[in-house]
Amino acid sequence: MPKMATGSSSQGTAAREVRASSLRLSGLETFHSLLEALRVGVMVNGPNGEILFVNRTAREMFGVTEKQIAGKSTKDVDLIVVREDGTECAVGLRPVARAIQTEKPVVGEVLGWRREGSEAVLWTLVTAVPQFAENGVLRDVIATLTDITDRKNTEAALRRAGELNRQILLGAQEGIVVHDRQLRYVLWNPYMERMSGMKASEVIGKHPLELFPFMKRGGMYEDLERALAGELTSSHDTPFDVPGTKQSGWCNNNFAPLRDAEGQIIGVVATVRDITERKRTEDRLRERELLLTQAERLANMGSWEMQVDSHELLWSAHFYRLLGLEPDPPRKLYSRDLSRIHPEDQERAFADMEKLIKTGQPLENELRFVRPDGSVRIFHSRAVGVTDEGGRVVRVQGMSQDVTERKSEEERLRRSEALLSQAERIADFGSWETNLRTGRTTLSKQLLQMYGLASEGEWNRDAYWQRVHPQDRERARRLLNKAIEECKPFEFVVRYRAGDGAYRVHLVRAIQIPGPDGRAERSIGVAHDITDQVRTEEELRQLSSRLLALQDEERRRIARDLHDSVSQKLLAISLNLAQVGKVDDIRSKDARHVLADTRRTVRDLSREIRSLSYLLHPPLLDELGLASAIEEYVKGLSKRTGIALTFEMATDVGRLSRESEMAFFRIVQESLGNIQKHSASSSGRIRLTREGDEVILEVTDAGRGMANEELRKVRAGSGVLGVGILGMRERMRQLGGRLEITSGEWGTTVTAMLPLRNEDTDGGTHPAG
C-alpha cells in the first residue's frame, strides 16, 4: 500500500488541535467513535481543501498516521491520483475539490492512488458530499473512500481469464459467486439473481453479512473464511432467507480459494445450488408417508400388496397391528396368510382374488379375520390389479379397513332408528333435517305419513307451504326465516291440510346448526301432531266456561227455589202462627185448622229441603254406596217425570272409591237429565257391571237417536248435549277411564268405563264408611 511522509512532532500537535477545533465546529465530534469504527474510509475537508479528519480505516488504506495527515491539504499529500484509464487526475478535478467548487455532491467516482515510482495502486470508490452552515455557507466536505482494490484485481484476473470463461460463469445453471480478499462480492451471476431476487448491482461491493445474516447460521460463513485461508470447503444443506426480497429456500455451497497467476489468494469462488425443490419434495414425501401412517391409524386401515407369480405379500406396519401381530419381515406367502381369514370366509376370499387376477376387475369384499387371541375382526377390503405391457395382472394393491366397530354401530343404529320410528308413531311426531346450503331435506317415515306422502320424492317446500292454512302461513314463514338468519331455534304452530282435506294442528320445533362461517348450515327439527291436544284443551275451555255458567245458573235456581218455595212456606207458617197467637182458645176449631195447615206446610218444606239437598249431594252415596244412591235417585226422578226407569247392578261390583262412585253418579244424573230434556223417551235403563278389571256403567234410552253429524258434534263437545258430554268425559279422563256414546234410530247409549283402582274393593267397606 502507498505510504505518506512523516511530519514533525510540533506539526502533529498543531494539526490535532486544528482537527479537534474543526470537528467541534462542524458538529462531528458526537460521531467520532462511530466514524472511527466504520469499515469505509471517511475524510473531512475544510472549505479550502484542508484535511480536518481522517478515520482509522482511511489511515490504514493510505498507510499514514494522524500526525502525518492532520492539517494538510489534499494537494500536499505525496500521492499520484489516477483514473481507471490510467491518466492522472489533477487536484482541481478530484471529487473533494469539485464538491467545494460546485457545492454539489460527487458520487461513486473510481480513483487510484499510488506513490511516485511505484506500480502498486490503491483503488477506491469516492463520494464527496458538501456540508453547509445554518447561514448557507459551505462548512466542510465529507468524503467516503471504499477500498475496491481486490475487486479491481479480481476483475482484471477475470478479464485475463477471457470473456469466454466469464460467459460460462454468467450462463451457468448453478450459482457462481466470487469474493475479493475482504470477502466482498465481485461476481454475482444471473442464476444467483434468480435465486435470491437481488440484482448484481445491489450485491457487488457489499460484504455477505451486510445482505445475508443467515450465513452466520449453520457454519456457512466459517466455511467461506476457511476457503479464503486456502481450504476447499463444502456446506451442508442450509436454509436461506433474503431480507430484502423475502425469498427463502434451501441451498448447498462449495467454496474454493481464488488465486492469481503467481498463486497468491486474491479471493474466494463459490458454487451454489438451489436445492429448495428437492427439499420440498423430500418434505412432501415425508409428510405423505406420515399422513399415510396417521391416516391408516385414524381410519383403522392397513395397506398391502401381493405379487401374483410368487404369491408374496407386503403388509404395512398398521396392517400387522390390525391383525394383532407385531410387524414381521414384510413378505410372506399368500397361502400361509390365508389362514388368518375366518374358515367360513376363506373360499370366498380365494375366489374374489382369482377373479381379480383373471379379469382385472377391482375387488371389494368384507371378510372376517381371526386374531391370535381368538377375537374376530371384520375387514372391508378394496384392491386393484397392476398389469404389465401385455395386460396381465402381475401385482395386486389393496387397502383393508377394520370395520368391526362400524358394523356394530350400524346394527345399533338400525335398532335405534327402529326405536325412534316406533317412538315417533307412539308420540305422533315426525322428524326432519334440511341442508340450508343445498336445500336437500330428509324426512322420517312418520313425518311422511303425517304429510300424506309416499316418499321424499313427493315432498317439496312450495307444496308444504300451500297446505299450511293461509292464516298461519305468513307468520310461520317469518319466524322460520328470522331463526335461520340469526342461527337460532324456532317454534310455531300451524294448521296443515292432511290428505283427507281436514286440517291437523302441528307444533313445529327446530334448531339451527352453524357452519364454519357461523351462519346456519343445517336445520334439524320435529313436527308434532297436537290436534287431539288442542281439541282437548278447547273442550276443557268450553267445559270450564260452561261449568261457571252452570254454577251461576244453579245458584240462581237454588235462590229462586228458596224464594218461591221455602220462603213462601216459611211466610205461611209465620202467618199461621201469628193467627194462632191471636186466638183466645188454642183448642178451638179454627186454631186446630191453622195448626194442621202449618204441619202440612212444615212437612212439604222438609221434603223440598231434602230434595234440594239430595240433588246437591245425595247422602246415601256416602252412607250406603253407589247402588243405593242411584236406586233412590231413579225412583224419585221416575215419580216426578213419569219416565219408566230401571236400575240393574251386578253383585260382583261392590263398593268403589269415593271419586269413582261420585263420577258414576254424576254421569247417571247427566244422562237421565238428557233423556228427560232431549230424547222424548218414555223409558230408560241403567246397568252397572264388572268385566275383568273394569267397572262399566250403561245408560240407555228408547227415544229418538241422533244423526251422524249431530253425534259427531256431540262427541266433539259442540252439540246440544256437548257441554254435559265434556263434563262426563273429563270425569272419566281424570280417573283414567273413558266415555263412549252410540246413537241411532233405536235410541242413545252412554257407556262409562273405569279401571278398578287400589282404593276399590270387592264388596268391602267403603273408605269413607
Side-chain angles (χ1 to χ4, degrees):
M1 301 286 285
K3 303 292 183 179
M4 300 185 70
T6 304
S8 67
S9 175
S10 60
Q11 287 177 335
T13 302
R16 282 193 297 274
E17 291 176 355
V18 170
R19 178 176 61 80
S21 174
S22 299
L23 282 172
R24 284 192 297 272
L25 291 173
S26 63
L28 293 176
E29 187 175 39
T30 306
F31 303 104
H32 180 270
S33 298
L34 173 64
L35 295 176
E36 284 293 322
L38 285 178
R39 299 181 64 176
V40 176
V42 178
M43 181 169 65
V44 180
N45 294 76
N48 298 317
E50 68 275 20
I51 299 174
L52 303 178
F53 170 74
V54 179
N55 75 340
R56 182 186 297 110
T57 301
R59 296 196 301 271
E60 291 175 353
M61 287 168 56
F62 292 106
V64 296
T65 64
E66 287 188 61
K67 294 179 181 180
Q68 293 173 329
I69 198 73
K72 289 189 176 183
S73 173
T74 53
K75 66 182 180 179
D76 298 331
V77 178
D78 186 20
L79 289 172
I80 299 173
V81 181
V82 297
R83 299 186 181 89
E84 287 188 275
D85 60 2
T87 61
E88 187 172 344
C89 182
V91 173
L93 297 179
R94 296 174 188 174
V96 172
R98 284 158 49 202
I100 292 172
Q101 293 168 8
T102 64
E103 295 188 351
K104 293 183 179 180
V106 178
V107 180
E109 188 161 320
V110 177
L111 293 178
W113 310 75
R114 65 180 177 83
R115 293 188 181 279
E116 187 73 34
S118 173
E119 295 297 326
V121 179
L122 169 67
W123 289 99
T124 59
L125 186 66
V126 183
T127 294
V129 180
Q131 305 293 310
F132 300 93
E134 293 181 359
N135 59 4
V137 176
L138 179 69
R139 185 180 63 198
D140 51 46
V141 175
I142 298 176
T144 61
L145 302 96
T146 303
D147 186 349
I148 59 172
T149 305
D150 289 339
R151 191 184 84 184
K152 295 289 288 183
N153 292 339
T154 302
E155 290 174 352
L158 288 174
R159 284 194 297 273
R160 288 193 298 270
E163 186 62 24
L164 178 61
N165 289 340
R166 181 176 179 82
Q167 291 301 322
I168 292 174
L169 292 175
L170 295 177
Q173 293 306 304
E174 64 178 350
I176 298 179
V177 177
V178 178
H179 302 263
D180 61 19
R181 279 201 58 81
Q182 280 71 44
L183 295 182
R184 290 171 297 195
Y185 291 105
V186 295
L187 177 66
W188 188 261
N189 77 335
Y191 182 93
M192 292 301 297
E193 290 185 346
R194 294 191 299 273
M195 178 177 166
S196 67
M198 298 189 69
K199 299 294 184 182
S201 59
E202 300 173 296
V203 176
I204 299 301
K206 302 288 181 64
H207 191 272
L209 296 184
E210 294 180 49
L211 303 175
F212 311 116
F214 71 86
M215 292 184 66
K216 267 294 187 183
R217 303 191 300 266
M220 185 185 295
Y221 187 73
E222 287 78 0
D223 291 340
L224 182 61
E225 290 181 322
R226 287 163 53 205
L228 186 63
E231 295 184 38
L232 289 172
T233 60
S234 176
S235 293
H236 300 292
D237 296 349
T238 305
F240 70 84
D241 54 271
V242 182
T245 62
K246 305 300 182 183
Q247 296 209 162
S248 61
W250 289 76
C251 63
N252 184 283
N253 299 349
N254 294 298
F255 302 101
L258 180 65
R259 301 177 186 273
D260 60 13
E262 287 76 28
Q264 298 296 316
I265 295 175
I266 59 173
V268 175
V269 61
T271 60
V272 182
R273 287 188 299 118
D274 186 348
I275 60 170
T276 304
E277 192 57 38
R278 190 196 81 192
K279 294 292 288 186
R280 288 174 179 169
T281 301
E282 292 174 354
D283 291 342
R284 285 196 297 267
L285 182 59
R286 281 193 296 270
E287 288 175 2
R288 287 172 183 170
E289 291 175 348
L290 179 60
L291 286 173
L292 177 60
T293 301
Q294 293 175 341
E296 287 190 352
R297 290 180 178 272
L298 291 173
N300 219 15
M301 179 183 293
S303 57
W304 50 271
E305 181 178 303
M306 188 193 78
Q307 299 295 331
V308 173
D309 292 337
S310 63
H311 282 205
E312 288 181 328
L313 280 173
L314 176 63
W315 290 346
S316 69
H318 196 61
F319 194 86
Y320 279 94
R321 298 187 186 99
L322 292 178
L323 291 175
L325 302 169
E326 289 298 323
D328 286 341
R331 294 189 178 273
K332 284 183 175 262
L333 290 178
Y334 174 73
S335 57
R336 175 181 171 188
D337 292 300
L338 191 65
S339 61
R340 298 290 177 189
I341 301 175
H342 194 283
E344 295 178 4
D345 296 347
Q346 289 182 9
E347 184 177 348
R348 178 162 56 88
F350 185 79
D352 289 347
M353 184 62 71
E354 286 298 312
K355 181 180 178 181
L356 183 152
I357 294 171
K358 289 179 180 180
T359 66
Q361 295 180 355
L363 173 152
E364 183 171 355
N365 60 22
E366 284 186 0
L367 302 173
R368 290 171 293 174
F369 283 75
V370 183
R371 286 179 167 180
D373 61 3
S375 60
V376 177
R377 309 296 294 179
I378 303 174
F379 284 11
H380 179 267
S381 301
R382 290 189 177 94
V384 296
V386 180
T387 59
D388 59 13
E389 295 179 355
R392 186 175 70 91
V393 175
V394 296
R395 190 166 70 254
V396 178
Q397 294 177 329
M399 298 286 290
S400 295
Q401 184 180 24
D402 188 336
V403 296
T404 308
E405 282 74 20
R406 191 187 77 189
K407 299 294 285 186
S408 300
E409 189 61 32
E410 288 175 355
E411 180 60 30
R412 287 195 294 270
L413 180 59
R414 281 193 292 271
R415 291 197 296 268
S416 297
E417 289 177 345
L419 289 173
L420 176 60
S421 180
Q422 293 173 358
E424 287 188 352
R425 286 197 297 272
I426 293 171
D428 207 9
F429 76 88
S431 57
W432 52 269
E433 178 178 347
T434 297
N435 186 318
L436 299 174
R437 305 289 171 86
T438 64
R440 167 72 172 152
T441 298
T442 302
L443 286 75
S444 70
K445 183 182 296 185
Q446 179 65 17
L447 190 57
L448 289 172
Q449 293 176 358
M450 289 172 57
Y451 289 160
L453 305 175
S455 66
E456 286 185 359
E458 298 181 9
W459 187 90
N460 67 77
R461 188 172 289 101
D462 293 338
Y464 169 80
W465 287 112
Q466 286 299 320
R467 286 181 172 269
V468 173
H469 197 286
Q471 295 178 359
D472 301 340
R473 194 178 299 154
E474 186 59 32
R475 172 182 54 83
R477 274 183 162 174
R478 186 171 61 253
L479 290 172
L480 182 145
N481 292 334
K482 182 179 180 182
I484 292 175
E485 182 179 350
E486 297 177 356
C487 196
K488 292 181 178 179
F490 68 81
E491 176 180 319
F492 56 76
V493 176
V494 294
R495 288 165 288 179
Y496 180 84
R497 190 176 70 252
D500 59 2
Y503 277 100
R504 307 288 296 178
V505 183
H506 291 174
L507 170 62
V508 182
R509 290 191 179 101
I511 60 172
Q512 317 309 315
I513 308 299
D517 57 357
R519 297 174 61 85
E521 184 176 76
R522 290 185 299 140
S523 187
I524 301 174
V526 296
H528 188 191
D529 190 331
I530 60 171
T531 307
D532 294 337
Q533 176 184 335
V534 171
R535 181 180 296 127
T536 300
E537 290 173 353
E538 179 60 28
E539 290 174 354
L540 289 176
R541 282 194 294 272
Q542 293 179 12
L543 178 60
S544 177
S545 176
R546 181 57 178 161
L547 288 176
L548 290 174
L550 289 175
Q551 184 183 48
D552 291 339
E553 182 181 343
E554 183 69 10
R555 286 173 177 173
R556 285 195 298 271
R557 188 186 65 79
I558 292 173
R560 186 172 58 252
D561 288 348
L562 289 174
H563 180 270
D564 295 343
S565 178
V566 176
S567 295
Q568 294 299 323
K569 287 181 173 58
L570 287 175
L571 178 59
I573 293 171
S574 177
L575 292 175
N576 288 343
L577 292 176
Q579 289 180 10
V580 172
K582 294 177 181 180
V583 176
D584 295 332
D585 186 0
I586 193 65
R587 294 173 294 178
S588 68
K589 180 179 179 179
D590 291 337
R592 290 196 302 271
H593 178 75
V594 172
L595 289 175
D597 184 59
T598 301
R599 283 196 297 271
R600 285 193 302 272
T601 303
V602 170
R603 284 196 301 270
D604 292 342
L605 178 61
S606 177
R607 185 171 57 252
E608 289 182 10
I609 291 175
R610 284 199 305 270
S611 297
L612 182 61
S613 174
Y614 189 84
L615 289 174
L616 292 175
H617 184 80
L620 289 178
L621 192 62
D622 291 335
E623 297 170 2
L624 300 177
L626 179 62
S628 299
I630 293 177
E631 188 172 8
E632 181 70 16
Y633 182 75
V634 166
K635 288 179 182 179
L637 183 63
S638 181
K639 183 177 180 181
R640 290 193 304 272
T641 63
I643 301 174
L645 299 172
T646 61
F647 172 59
E648 303 172 11
M649 177 175 173
T651 58
D652 60 350
V653 173
R655 291 301 301 270
L656 305 176
S657 65
R658 186 191 305 275
E659 293 83 3
S660 299
E661 291 188 342
M662 177 58 74
F664 276 140
F665 182 81
R666 293 305 183 193
I667 290 174
V668 169
Q669 274 186 313
E670 184 67 33
S671 299
L672 294 180
N674 288 334
I675 292 174
Q676 178 185 356
K677 297 173 185 177
H678 305 292
S679 74
S681 176
S682 60
S683 64
R685 185 183 67 176
I686 301 96
R687 294 178 68 243
L688 191 63
T689 60
R690 175 175 175 176
E691 292 183 7
D693 291 334
E694 279 190 330
V695 179
I696 302 173
L697 171 69
E698 288 183 351
V699 182
T700 305
D701 66 54
R704 62 173 180 267
M706 292 177 283
N708 290 337
E709 182 62 23
E710 184 182 2
L711 180 62
R712 187 185 67 79
K713 292 181 178 179
V714 166
R715 288 172 174 168
S718 57
V720 177
L721 309 179
V723 176
I725 297 298
L726 287 177
M728 292 190 287
R729 182 179 292 126
E730 181 61 19
R731 289 183 185 274
M732 290 294 99
R733 187 189 67 79
Q734 290 179 355
L735 296 174
R738 61 191 188 279
L739 185 78
E740 294 179 358
I741 302 173
T742 57
S743 186
E745 296 180 358
W746 43 266
T748 301
T749 299
V750 176
T751 304
M753 292 155 280
L754 272 181
L756 288 172
R757 303 164 63 190
N758 293 334
E759 296 87 347
D760 298 329
T761 60
D762 293 335
T765 304
H766 190 277

